[in-house]
Amino acid sequence: MYILTITAEYRSPGEAEAVYSAVSPDDDDYVTSYLEGSTVRFEISAENAGSMRSAMDDVLACVKVAEATLGIVSGSAADLDGDALREG
């Protein structure tokens, strides 16, 4: 079993809550989301490395869309999908 924790920190608890509210309905058997002040934490579990990568990509894509929709990220974003290219 593989387990990965992704932590996303925001400027305010309100921003964190908005992202959490947008992304947490997509929680499935493989991911659990937690809201902790201005931080959203995602705990992902998978049976193998390939499934982990798929789950991680899915979570990060959902976060990216939520942030873009909410106007939280401006300009180029960090490399969210691990392909060494900046997003945006």
Side-chain angles (χ1 to χ4, degrees):
M1 175 70 72
Y2 291 82
I3 298 174
L4 172 70
T5 300
I6 297 173
T7 303
E9 296 181 24
Y10 296 95
R11 293 176 292 213
S12 71
E15 285 185 353
E17 184 174 0
V19 172
Y20 173 81
S21 295
V23 175
S24 64
D26 287 333
D27 284 5
D28 203 349
D29 293 338
Y30 63 89
V31 63
T32 304
S33 303
Y34 301 93
L35 177 61
E36 301 163 341
S38 60
T39 300
V40 181
R41 184 170 45 94
F42 304 95
E43 290 186 0
I44 304 168
S45 59
E47 292 296 321
N48 58 59
S51 294
M52 176 59 74
R53 180 182 171 113
S54 255
M56 180 189 63
D57 284 349
D58 184 40
V59 169
L60 293 176
C62 289
V63 169
K64 180 180 176 182
V65 168
E67 289 176 344
T69 301
L70 296 164
I72 293 173
V73 177
S74 61
S76 294
D79 177 25
L80 298 177
D81 58 7
D83 63 1
L85 300 172
R86 291 184 63 80
E87 309 303 325

